[in-house]
Amino acid sequence: MRAAPWTCRGCVEALRRTAGCQLRLGSQRGARRGVVTEAPASTSTLAPSLLRRARCLAAEHDSLESTLESSFDGAKAKRVGELRRVVSALRAWTDGRAAVAELSALATDGEQDAELAAIARDELVSESSRLEALERNLAASLRPRHAFADLPCLVEFRPGPGGLEGRYFTDSLFKMYRALCARRGYRANVLKYELAEAAGDQSSPAGEQPLQEAVLEVLDAGAYDVFRTEAGMHRVQRIPSTESKGRVHTSAVAVWVLPSFPETGATGSDDVDDPESDFYLRPDDVRVETMRARGAGGQHVNKTESAIRMTHAPTGTVVSMQDHRSQQRNREAAWKVLRSRVAGQRAEQRQQEAARLRSSVLSKAQMTRGDKIRTYNYNQDRCTDHRAGLDVHNLPDVLDGGEILDRVMDAAGEWMVGRDLEAIVAEEEARQK
């Protein structure tokens, strides 16, 4: 392929106009001969059902916009805003597809000027790459946005099977996400950090504490959408410091990611008092108990009843909090965690119900809290995300919350987008039957 020395955007636009004119002239000549010629369409990897859905949503957007011109309606205006990203993505993809078709026709036209054909071939490469990105963007725009996507979140850590080694690695994961927040500039607050009583103050040679339970609150809006791919079972494979025969032990840590409603007034909303909100709890349904704090803590421990335990009777959800010396601060923190846990359960129930309405194949693909989502192998210096099928090395950088952890989380996010799109395709195909 002969490359043009340089190409400016104005020349490319002129080239496209020339190509369009020549295609139309070719069609007219063909029509006079009884043959109709068209610009070759570029190959698309977009599922036809997704394209149908995009066009239906675009039509809905245009219809609602026309209605709003005559009379304003808040619900319709909100829906128009939700559909705008689909309309923009569809328009950009349509324009990109037309540009590729025009350039492709011009690049393969044997009667075309050689220099213009060379420019068309060079531009076709970059436009085809751009079209692929536009296809991905269009597909992603069709993915339903999670109801809690714009909220802050709570990240909870609890050791799974593995005894003391599992508690040590729970602390490592807690520090990993805390370091990630610090590097990205997220505001993070430790709501709970409780060590296992039986382990005492014993720490590992790497400085890990025997963590029994921890809750990290990420205060930034949209944090839930960033961290929700991290929920699940995290497995660690390594040789414990107490292992005399050099055998690799396997432990697990459970990570929960729950939406956290911001403080009342922070967003001008009062959903915690709205009975229709997932965060609403009837005070009569919550049993509050005070008790003395346990564990290490000096004179304060076992002297005052500052610890709080709350039980939500309808769901059986229990939250205990003793990290603060003040009973009031423990009470406020316990309410926040309890609301988030119950809201997460309510949202999860809706997702499970929606999954049951889909095909059995998609239901099996639904991620649950018990899934093993990731493995951290110390001997092989490897971190594997089992959902995305991604292996990365330089495990210390991952555990330090570094940029390699970004790669792992991004891959998990792409997997989640793909899973959601599979569900959309299944729903569209079922609707067509």
Side-chain angles (χ1 to χ4, degrees):
M1 180 185 297
R2 182 170 63 86
W6 58 273
T7 307
C8 72
R9 179 58 61 181
C11 292
V12 170
E13 293 301 326
L15 180 64
R16 288 176 184 166
R17 287 194 294 272
T18 301
C21 290
Q22 291 185 356
L23 287 171
R24 285 192 293 274
L25 286 173
S27 297
Q28 292 168 3
R29 295 190 193 104
R32 285 194 292 269
R33 296 193 300 268
V35 179
V36 178
T37 60
E38 297 180 354
S42 60
T43 304
S44 174
T45 59
L46 201 65
S49 55
L50 290 180
L51 190 54
R52 280 197 302 270
R53 184 180 182 91
R55 287 170 174 160
C56 288
L57 293 176
E60 180 186 352
H61 171 274
D62 295 343
S63 175
L64 290 173
E65 255 195 349
S66 300
T67 304
L68 289 172
E69 289 177 359
S70 56
S71 61
F72 179 79
D73 181 273
K76 291 180 180 178
K78 181 180 178 181
R79 180 61 175 165
V80 166
E82 293 172 351
L83 295 175
R84 189 165 290 129
R85 64 187 184 123
V86 178
V87 173
S88 299
L90 179 61
R91 184 177 295 121
W93 176 82
T94 302
D95 292 345
R97 188 172 165 84
V100 167
E102 290 178 2
L103 288 169
S104 178
L106 188 57
T108 56
D109 186 353
E111 299 179 2
Q112 185 56 254
D113 177 79
E115 186 174 353
L116 286 178
I119 294 175
R121 287 193 293 271
D122 289 342
E123 185 65 15
L124 183 60
V125 174
S126 62
E127 286 296 319
S128 297
S129 177
R130 178 172 170 268
L131 181 60
E132 291 176 3
L134 291 173
E135 278 195 359
R136 291 193 297 270
N137 185 52
L138 175 57
S141 72
L142 296 171
R143 178 193 183 203
R145 189 160 176 79
H146 197 283
F148 299 145
D150 296 323
L151 291 179
C153 72
L154 301 180
V155 186
E156 297 191 17
F157 306 84
R158 293 195 201 107
L164 184 60
E165 187 66 16
R167 294 189 176 96
Y168 283 153
F169 191 66
T170 304
D171 192 41
S172 287
L173 284 187
F174 170 81
K175 292 174 180 175
M176 179 182 79
Y177 288 113
R178 197 175 182 186
L180 176 72
C181 290
R183 181 174 61 82
R184 292 189 178 184
Y186 297 154
R187 295 169 298 142
N189 180 35
V190 180
L191 287 186
K192 185 172 187 177
Y193 186 85
E194 183 178 313
L195 302 182
E197 289 183 31
D201 295 329
Q202 179 184 356
S203 61
S204 73
E208 299 163 315
Q209 299 297 318
L211 193 58
Q212 180 62 35
E213 183 179 359
V215 179
L216 182 67
E217 181 182 26
V218 187
L219 299 167
D220 294 75
Y224 180 76
D225 202 39
V226 173
F227 284 92
R228 66 192 183 103
T229 59
E230 303 304 288
M233 294 299 293
H234 294 241
R235 183 176 69 173
V236 58
Q237 295 175 324
R238 64 183 182 182
I239 302 173
S241 58
T242 55
E243 173 57 54
S244 59
K245 297 182 179 179
R247 292 173 296 189
V248 174
H249 288 218
T250 298
S251 306
V253 176
V255 175
W256 281 267
V257 180
L258 305 172
S260 175
F261 194 80
E263 295 295 336
T264 301
T267 61
S269 179
D270 201 21
D271 279 17
V272 294
D273 297 322
D274 181 3
E276 300 299 319
S277 168
D278 283 336
F279 290 88
Y280 175 76
L281 298 179
R282 290 181 66 250
D284 293 345
D285 290 339
V286 180
R287 184 172 71 253
V288 181
E289 302 170 84
T290 60
M291 63 195 77
R292 293 180 179 179
R294 300 170 298 167
Q299 295 181 353
H300 166 68
V301 175
N302 295 323
K303 299 294 183 181
T304 60
E305 292 194 346
S306 61
I308 293 291
R309 181 166 62 204
M310 292 185 178
T311 305
H312 184 240
T315 61
T317 305
V318 179
V319 171
S320 60
M321 194 66 62
Q322 65 171 31
D323 280 31
H324 306 290
R325 296 177 63 88
S326 163
Q327 183 188 105
Q328 181 60 28
R329 288 189 64 188
N330 283 327
R331 185 184 298 270
E332 291 171 355
W335 269 112
K336 178 174 286 190
V337 173
L338 184 63
R339 284 195 184 101
S340 295
R341 287 186 184 175
V342 173
Q345 291 171 11
R346 289 168 175 168
E348 191 173 287
Q349 288 172 358
R350 287 197 300 272
Q351 291 172 356
Q352 290 174 350
E353 180 62 27
R356 279 194 290 270
L357 296 177
R358 297 176 184 145
S359 68
S360 59
V361 175
L362 285 176
S363 296
K364 292 175 183 176
Q366 180 80 2
M367 187 181 72
T368 64
R369 290 180 177 178
D371 288 338
K372 175 190 67 180
I373 65 168
R374 196 169 294 158
T375 293
Y376 306 78
N377 189 302
Y378 277 63
N379 284 11
Q380 299 177 9
D381 188 31
R382 170 178 55 83
C383 176
T384 299
D385 191 278
H386 300 287
R387 301 159 299 177
L390 176 71
D391 286 333
V392 297
H393 294 276
N394 194 352
L395 188 57
D397 184 77
V398 173
L399 296 174
D400 285 341
E403 293 181 358
I404 296 181
L405 178 59
D406 290 343
R407 286 178 52 195
V408 178
M409 293 176 65
D410 289 345
E414 290 176 5
W415 166 84
M416 185 171 281
V417 170
R419 186 199 63 177
D420 291 346
L421 291 177
E422 286 180 8
I424 293 173
V425 169
E427 289 175 358
E428 288 297 317
E429 290 178 350
R431 191 174 293 137
Q432 295 297 319
K433 293 179 180 179

